[in-house]
Amino acid sequence: MTPFTTLTSIAIPLLRDNVDTDTIIPSREMRSTGRTGLAAGLFAPWRYLDVDSRLPDPDFPINDPRAAGAQILLGGDNFGCGSSREHAVWALAEWGISAVIAASFAPIFKANCLRNGLLPIEFPPAAFAWHELSIDLAAQTVNGHHFAIDPEAKTMLLEGLDVIALTLQSHAVIDAWEAADRKARPWIYLEPHA
């Protein structure tokens, strides 16, 4: 993953409560099992006047010319609720979103964000609509206003670590534990046959 340190961007307002993962990326828009090819389906039911022809709705925020190149999305309460669809985070990231600021997040969606390098910030977002924001993860600030983040999640984002890379940082401790356990309980380890 790419480390997340600082970000300055216009904030796109999608200030709706209970935006679920099926709205973020509908199942009919998931045409592969990979992490790519999802950006065109991002918010498809709201983003297009006609989904099949991909006719954009000019009133939908990410179709606004001010959203071009923006990397921060503002959401309402309980953003990312619904299913545990990780594709929702992949679609946001592929479109170019690096951080979502919302009043609150569904826990699974928030965890999916962190596992995929997208910063979820719980903060009242309404005052930031269409403003340029500067996020400093090390200082835990948005335009100088403090936000909370779990220390382990902060480390993962700052260092660009996924959960496996984070675990591998404890490789020596894991190896030492396994060596001691092999001595204490050798019968639980299968030895390869020669």
Side-chain angles (χ1 to χ4, degrees):
M1 288 189 331
T2 304
F4 187 111
T5 53
T6 61
L7 172 65
T8 299
S9 171
I10 293 294
I12 306 167
L14 183 61
L15 301 174
R16 301 179 187 187
D17 292 342
N18 303 311
V19 173
D20 67 32
T21 55
D22 191 51
T23 301
I24 297 170
I25 185 72
S27 59
R28 68 182 168 279
E29 298 292 337
M30 299 184 313
R31 297 187 173 112
S32 76
T33 56
R35 297 177 182 219
T36 59
L38 300 167
L42 181 67
F43 298 115
W46 295 341
R47 182 176 172 189
Y48 302 112
L49 293 171
D50 178 47
V51 175
D52 293 331
S53 70
R54 296 294 201 230
L55 179 64
D57 179 348
D59 294 328
F60 189 68
I62 67 171
N63 294 331
D64 188 299
R66 294 174 289 181
Q71 297 179 341
I72 300 172
L73 181 68
L74 304 178
D77 216 12
N78 198 28
F79 191 88
C81 60
S83 72
S84 60
R85 185 174 297 172
E86 195 168 10
H87 290 73
V89 174
W90 298 346
L92 286 165
E94 186 181 22
W95 191 84
I97 299 298
S98 298
V100 178
I101 301 173
S104 66
F105 293 94
I108 294 173
F109 178 82
K110 186 175 182 178
N112 284 339
C113 285
L114 295 169
R115 280 196 295 271
N116 287 282
L118 197 148
L119 176 61
I121 299 173
E122 289 188 16
F123 199 83
F128 297 139
W130 296 120
H131 288 93
E132 184 174 86
L133 300 181
S134 292
I135 299 170
D136 184 331
L137 181 55
Q140 294 179 220
T141 59
V142 177
N143 284 14
H145 301 284
H146 186 267
F147 65 88
I149 186 168
D150 173 78
E152 185 176 87
K154 180 179 176 179
T155 298
M156 288 174 65
L157 289 167
L158 284 171
E159 296 181 21
L161 304 171
D162 62 18
V163 290
I164 294 171
L166 183 67
T167 302
L168 290 176
Q169 286 191 324
S170 300
H171 195 270
V173 173
I174 294 167
D175 286 348
W177 181 89
E178 188 176 286
D181 192 55
R182 278 184 184 273
K183 288 180 183 177
R185 305 179 311 154
W187 61 89
I188 70 164
Y189 293 89
L190 297 175
E191 296 299 326
H193 297 288

